[in-house]
Amino acid sequence: MLRFRQIEAALFPGCSFTPKRVFSPISVVKGSSLNGCLSPATVRALCRGGVNTPEQLVAIEPEELLKLPGLGPAKLKEIEDVFYPSKRLARSSSQCGRE
C-alpha cells in the first residue's frame, strides 16, 4: 500500500484515494517454476508431491497425478488446459463424472 501512496502523491498531488478492498499479492511457492502457470493451490499440491518443474509434470501420467494428496480432477483439468490445450488426457469414465 505504501508504493501505491507514493505513486498517488506523485501523480495526483493533494488528492487521496481509499480503495474499498486491498487485494493480497498472489502467493507463490518457493522453489517451483510452475508459479504463474497454474493456480497457487495446484502448485502447492504438486510441490508436496515433489513436482516442481514443467518437465517433471509432463513426465508423470495423469493417474499418478491424481494419487497426489490435494490434487483431484478439477486441478488435473487445470493442468490439462495449461499444458495440453489441444488434447485431453485419457481418464476413466468415472473420473469424468459419467457412468
Side-chain angles (χ1 to χ4, degrees):
M1 194 70 179
L2 175 64
R3 182 70 181 141
F4 175 79
R5 293 291 176 209
Q6 291 171 339
I7 294 170
E8 180 184 53
L11 295 177
F12 308 103
C15 297
S16 179
F17 170 77
T18 304
K20 291 182 182 178
R21 181 174 177 209
V22 177
F23 293 97
S24 61
I26 297 173
S27 62
V28 295
V29 178
K30 192 173 185 178
S32 176
S33 60
L34 296 169
N35 290 314
C37 299
L38 301 167
S39 69
T42 303
V43 175
R44 279 191 299 273
L46 289 168
C47 284
R48 281 192 299 266
V51 181
N52 295 312
T53 65
E55 292 81 14
Q56 291 172 328
L57 179 59
V58 296
I60 299 175
E61 294 295 321
E63 293 78 22
E64 294 299 317
L65 287 173
L66 288 172
K67 292 178 184 176
L68 296 176
L71 206 142
K75 289 187 175 126
L76 181 61
K77 183 182 179 321
E78 178 188 355
I79 293 168
E80 289 175 346
D81 291 343
V82 172
F83 287 94
Y84 306 98
S86 61
K87 72 174 195 174
R88 293 285 173 244
L89 301 176
R91 290 189 267 174
S92 68
S93 60
S94 63
Q95 289 174 332
C96 294
R98 297 181 211 114
E99 295 298 325

